[in-house]
Amino acid sequence: MRVGLFIPCYVDQFYPNAAIATLQLLEKLGCEVVYPQNQTCCGQPMANSGFEHLTHGCNELFIKNFDGFDYIVAPSGSCVLHVREHLHDEHDEAKAVDIRHKVYELTTFLTDILKVESLPARFPHKVGMHQSCHGQRGLKLSSMSELVAPAFSKPGSLLAMVKDIELIELNRVDECCGFGGTFCVAEEAVSSKMGKDRVADHLQHGAEYITGVDMSCLMHMEGILKRQGSNVKVMHIAEILNGVEN
Amino acid sequence: MNTGEKEHAELADVFNKDEARVDWHDETLWWIRAKRDRSVHQLPEWEDLRETASKIKFNVLSNLSGYLEQFEAQAKANGVTVHWAADAKEHNEIVHRLISEQGVTQMVKSKSMLTEECHLNEYLAEHGIEVIDSDLGERIVQLAKEPPSHIVLPCIHKKKEEIGDLFHKYLGTPSNMSDPQFLTETARQHLRETFLTRKVALTGVNFAVAETGEFVVCTNEGNADMGAHLANIHIACMGIEKLIPQRKHLGVFLRLLTRSATGQPITTYSSHFKKPREGQQMHIVLVDNGRSVQLGREDFRNSLKCIRCGACMNTCPVYRRSGGHSYHNAVAGPIGSILAPNLDMRQYADLPFASTLCGSCSNVCPVKIDIHDQLYKWRQVLVKEGYAPTVKKIGMQVMTTTLNSPGIYRTAGKLGRIVMRLAPFAVNNGLNPWYKHRDMPTPPKESFGEWYKKNRK
């Protein structure tokens, strides 16, 4: 199985450990993983700001980089959702559609395609799982508190395979952290208040780490934790599932 | 709405100056959202009900002119006078004329967000007519000379102590009296006097039935009934999208409305009006005010399915932390942010951006409006129509140029990380809105791309 590794721009630049863990984890599980080195960004920052018409270049690059793989996997629900919903090719739309169907968020790829049932990981800490909205409500990674439907969680089922991990409960199971792409600066006041409240819920329940499928939400919460002088760390779920303990 | 030229972000910033108050506002609304969750989880058929309601409303929107004609014919046959208003101005003029014809200068009104949208109270005040809002929450904000901050809970932003002060000032209650029971009883006596002496009563309409020409008004206080039953003339104002095809469909909507709004199984009073009682006049004003334009916008037509339950506001993490007034529009929150730009793109260009697109609004919506997807689509429309600030346009262009070229991207990334490491003050300063309440990430020595080149190739 040839997997194209799609690493979002800000993960590439700021959180290489999340990317390395994703790569190692996929390799550990038997995938042939290739990282196309000319990738940049999926174009989501422009699109969510109303500038979808400026994303042609990013789309072209994405298609050029990821054409021909069996699957494309990324450690980000948000970027995958953007590609799934908005990747187009004005010359060859069929190709874009093909890629849209082949792109997977990491935890879904593990549960739905690789059908992982056990992992050799250990993480002896109290961990809070942040449900990132685009992954949860957009890609349906977990059940949503608003809907009358059976409960499930793809990332949760993977974390349950990790030895000695203690997952904490939250008062608000799936409240948004307030990152929201350019929202975090355009609406700084509300964004940071949302982040503070989200972090407080985790802290109140004794989290030592906050994890999730989207590094962007975690980056936002990390910024708040650091400002508060907290020892609580954020860590992408790939790093926990890969068994790397920092 | 008197918020001047200020936009959502600035108004939200002001609201956030008092963090304790933001916490209180957020928790109050979250409590209602949680009550809604408990209430809907009692119905295993909840998602089927939502789907059914959504389809009924889709049918209505697809055949709106036919249903409107049917409704008009039935209502007329029932002895009701039907008026058509193309916009807010026509609506206000019709209502004014009907009041003037009675030779009175006072009117009692039950809650109607349509009249808020049309700024009816202000219009009538300019023409020497006093309107008393009879919904308790609306009466409170009326006394405070403020617009409602929520479509179902108009004074949710006010604490009971503040209401006590208002009642002391206007209704003569003792000072520092904030006992809700006492204040409610005071309001009850005050409004009873109003109901008994007003000759004209105006109500909103929650659902109008095309098949029968009747309409339903839902209140928890019975104030619509009190007003309409005691007045000589009952004026009901409705947006043209309030129609449902048949009486049997009411069962679906009445079950959905209040569970979504407040978590109650059903509204306390669901009052059915069909024909005027003897000696009474009944008028219905059917108002377009931009609705047919929205119907013509394919991407946004579904917003007209809205039954005004307010669930999207209660669940919206941004609304809860920015307050209803920050939306500077009669209908606040996520649904208001879709409806407002239809009325005036320039004035409300900021609203579709006042969201993280978390999607909770779409999930609670009882008629399954794709609210967060429409917010995304409005952003594209507004930018294309030229309503993006210049700074943002330039920033997006620079970002696009950088991301379109892997070479520039790599160089810029590397430079950026070096600057952040060696000269953190260049980014950690007051010009960086991120830095105001959050630290910047610690830049790593190498990017993943650089690591990969060394370790895998």
Side-chain angles (χ1 to χ4, degrees), chain A residues 188-222:
Chain A
E188 180 277 322
V190 180
S191 172
S192 49
K193 176 62 181 152
M194 287 168 70
K196 278 166 81 176
D197 291 352
R198 191 76 293 235
V199 162
D201 198 349
H202 287 269
L203 297 184
Q204 193 195 326
H205 292 88
E208 297 167 61
Y209 286 85
I210 301 177
T211 193
V213 302
D214 259 285
M215 209 58 230
S216 52
C217 310
L218 296 176
M219 171 172 75
H220 172 58
M221 289 190 277
E222 180 186 57

Side-chain angles (χ1 to χ4, degrees), chain A residues 12-13 27 37 40 47-48 52 145-146 148 175 184 187-188 191 193 196-197 220 223 226-227, chain B residues 8 23 33 47 320-321 360 376 379-380 403 409-410 417 435 437-439 442 448-449 456:
Chain A
D12 174 42
Q13 293 297 327
E27 286 176 341
Q37 295 189 52
T40 60
N48 280 6
E52 199 184 320
S145 61
E146 304 93 2
V148 177
E175 173 105 321
C184 72
E187 290 264 2
E188 180 277 322
S191 172
K193 176 62 181 152
K196 278 166 81 176
D197 291 352
H220 172 58
K226 277 163 106 179
R227 180 59 58 91
Chain B
H8 183 272
D23 288 336
R33 150 80 209 268
E47 300 301 333
R320 278 188 259 116
R321 292 178 187 81
S360 187
Y376 175 89
R379 294 179 184 189
Q380 314 306 326
L403 297 173
Y409 161 77
R410 281 192 288 262
R417 278 182 285 119
Y435 188 67
H437 291 104
R438 294 161 288 213
D439 279 10
T442 313
F448 174 71
R456 284 294 189 278

Side-chain angles (χ1 to χ4, degrees), chain B residues 16-244:
Chain B
N16 272 270
K17 298 284 182 231
D18 184 351
E19 192 171 350
R21 194 178 185 96
V22 177
D23 288 336
W24 167 79
H25 192 261
D26 168 60
E27 278 156 22
T28 308
L29 287 157
W30 180 261
W31 182 77
I32 298 165
R33 150 80 209 268
K35 201 167 155 229
R36 172 251 172 225
D37 289 353
R38 283 196 299 278
S39 165
V40 306
H41 278 275
Q42 288 171 356
L43 299 184
E45 71 274 29
W46 180 255
E47 300 301 333
D48 287 340
L49 274 176
R50 289 177 71 216
E51 183 62 26
T52 306
S54 175
K55 283 179 175 161
I56 294 170
K57 277 289 181 183
F58 190 71
N59 175 295
V60 169
L61 296 177
S62 305
N63 303 284
L64 190 58
S65 60
Y67 285 128
L68 282 167
E69 283 171 16
Q70 190 188 2
F71 176 78
E72 181 188 32
Q74 290 300 325
K76 278 182 175 168
N78 296 339
V80 180
T81 312
V82 179
H83 308 261
W84 297 85
D87 54 24
K89 186 171 169 278
E90 276 190 24
H91 163 263
N92 293 347
E93 286 167 0
I94 291 166
V95 174
H96 180 219
R97 182 168 51 77
L98 291 171
I99 301 168
S100 302
E101 280 170 5
Q102 294 297 309
V104 297
T105 54
Q106 291 174 318
M107 175 177 80
V108 65
K109 180 160 117 338
S110 84
K111 198 150 90 60
S112 147
M113 288 315 294
L114 175 71
T115 59
E116 288 295 329
E117 176 187 317
C118 296
H119 302 289
L120 176 71
N121 284 16
E122 294 96 310
Y123 176 88
L124 291 179
E126 281 165 22
H127 290 81
I129 290 170
E130 187 201 6
V131 177
I132 303 249
D133 280 314
S134 61
D135 171 271
L136 179 54
E138 287 232 314
R139 184 68 186 135
I140 291 165
V141 289
Q142 192 179 31
L143 291 175
K145 298 179 177 61
E146 288 174 16
S149 68
H150 187 292
I151 58 174
V152 173
L153 314 154
C155 73
I156 195 71
H157 59 290
K158 287 231 171 287
K159 297 191 176 189
K160 61 180 192 289
E161 291 77 14
E162 293 162 331
I163 296 166
D165 290 344
L166 277 171
F167 278 27
H168 172 63
K169 188 169 168 194
Y170 294 104
L171 304 181
T173 53
S175 60
N176 298 320
M177 167 53 81
S178 61
D179 174 48
Q181 187 82 35
F182 183 88
L183 295 178
T184 309
E185 185 56 33
T186 304
R188 187 185 171 89
Q189 296 304 331
H190 158 68
L191 288 170
R192 184 134 308 187
E193 167 65 20
T194 308
F195 290 129
L196 288 169
T197 52
R198 296 307 179 273
K199 289 184 174 156
V200 180
L202 187 145
T203 69
V205 169
N206 287 88
F207 304 103
V209 184
E211 173 193 38
T212 57
E214 65 194 351
F215 58 95
V216 176
V217 181
C218 302
T219 71
N220 275 324
E221 299 161 24
N223 54 310
D225 300 331
M226 300 272 269
H229 291 166
L230 289 164
N232 302 340
I233 159 168
H234 176 186
I235 308 167
C237 299
M238 62 178 267
I240 52 174
E241 82 287 9
K242 292 279 180 172
L243 279 177
I244 58 170

